[in-house]
Amino acid sequence: LSLITMFIQFFLFLGIYKKPFLLALPTPLVNLGEKVTLECRSEIMFDTFILTSHKTGTIKGSFKLSAEHCHGGSQANFSIGPVTSDDAGTYTCYGSFNHSPYEWSESSDPIDIKITGLYKKPSLSALLGPVLISGENVTLSCISDHQFDMFHLSIEGVPLGQGLPAMQSHNGTFKAKFLLGPVIQTGNYRCYGSFSNSSHVWSSPSDPWYFSVTDRLLMTFLPLLSLVFINKII
């Protein structure tokens, strides 16, 4: 156990207050060399917020900031970066008061920070698109000539699910197929590759694949509406 882990286990009283909320801005996917802000906020007027970073289940760092009071609550913004692969991992935050610094709140829900841009980008493709009918299923294929162990999918910079194991194709490439539907979010999808020994370190993102979703009823009547419009012009 690290000294920080032992300190938290034996010298702190955790869960005294309601947990704060932790948010990664702009997204939890951070390109190598860029910055990310971890915003810890609470409806409780804490004096201090503490951010802890975890890797492979062990606490490797702890940072403190004085809280700012605003909008009936409190918050602190932890700026990290320019990031390296060492900044990848799981982060949580706590709140505390100056008069009782060894009494911390319950831990926030964890947030996983993935550092991207370490390896060549994979490619992303789909058999359908870019306009989908509501309720329709679609498969996105992520392919790379790198021997990745896992592939991951994101929409607008937010990871989707836990990723899929890479499968080797007959031509020697590696790929994974992501089945989306029947509820599909509109936006830019990208995929990434990673290795099992560094699950928080991902490749550069693929080029985006954009989906828009339209209503089935609208698609049924759209040709008729077009004919009416053309007839009016004529």
Side-chain angles (χ1 to χ4, degrees):
L1 292 177
S2 69
L3 291 176
I4 296 174
T5 305
M6 293 175 62
F7 177 79
I8 289 178
Q9 286 183 344
F10 297 111
F11 296 99
L12 292 176
F13 296 95
L14 301 181
I16 306 298
Y17 315 106
K18 182 180 177 182
K19 67 182 179 183
F21 179 76
L22 185 61
L23 180 67
L25 300 172
T27 79
L29 299 181
V30 191
N31 200 45
L32 188 69
E34 294 184 350
K35 294 183 179 182
V36 62
T37 297
L38 296 183
E39 181 183 276
C40 188
R41 65 172 184 256
S42 173
E43 60 190 25
I44 300 173
M45 291 288 195
F46 288 120
D47 296 321
T48 303
F49 284 104
I50 304 97
L51 182 73
T52 58
S53 62
H54 310 245
K55 222 169 200 179
T56 62
T58 302
I59 296 176
K60 69 175 187 125
S62 179
F63 317 92
K64 277 189 176 185
L65 275 181
S66 296
E68 298 178 5
H69 295 167
C70 56
H71 307 299
S74 57
Q75 71 176 58
N77 294 329
F78 296 85
S79 180
I80 300 173
V83 299
T84 68
S85 57
D86 287 338
D87 296 306
T90 302
Y91 290 78
T92 55
C93 75
Y94 306 80
S96 73
F97 293 99
N98 292 339
H99 61 78
S100 53
Y102 301 112
E103 295 178 355
W104 289 9
S105 70
E106 184 182 351
S107 168
S108 70
D109 291 334
I111 193 165
D112 288 329
I113 298 298
K114 317 287 188 182
I115 306 303
T116 65
L118 273 295
Y119 319 108
K120 178 184 172 183
K121 68 182 180 183
S123 62
L124 185 64
S125 62
L127 295 177
L128 298 176
V131 179
L132 300 176
I133 298 173
S134 179
E136 191 173 21
N137 293 328
V138 65
T139 298
L140 284 173
S141 296
C142 190
I143 304 172
S144 175
D145 53 10
H146 274 52
Q147 194 174 350
F148 290 122
D149 299 320
M150 297 286 294
F151 285 106
H152 312 269
L153 195 65
S154 74
I155 178 170
E156 303 296 345
V158 179
L160 291 174
Q162 299 299 314
L164 291 177
M167 305 293 290
Q168 188 169 13
S169 303
H170 295 299
N171 61 4
T173 59
F174 296 83
K175 68 178 181 180
K177 293 185 175 181
F178 296 88
L179 177 63
L180 303 179
V183 178
I184 297 176
Q185 294 175 262
T186 296
N188 286 304
Y189 288 80
R190 297 176 186 266
C191 76
Y192 311 75
S194 73
F195 297 98
S196 56
N197 61 353
S198 53
S199 60
H200 284 77
V201 176
W202 291 4
S203 71
S204 294
S206 68
D207 292 335
W209 191 277
Y210 181 82
F211 282 126
S212 62
V213 182
T214 189
D215 187 76
R216 186 178 298 274
L217 189 61
L218 178 61
M219 292 298 289
T220 301
F221 288 102
L222 192 57
L224 296 175
L225 293 173
S226 299
L227 286 174
V228 171
F229 180 72
I230 291 171
N231 289 332
K232 282 188 175 182
I233 294 177
I234 296 173

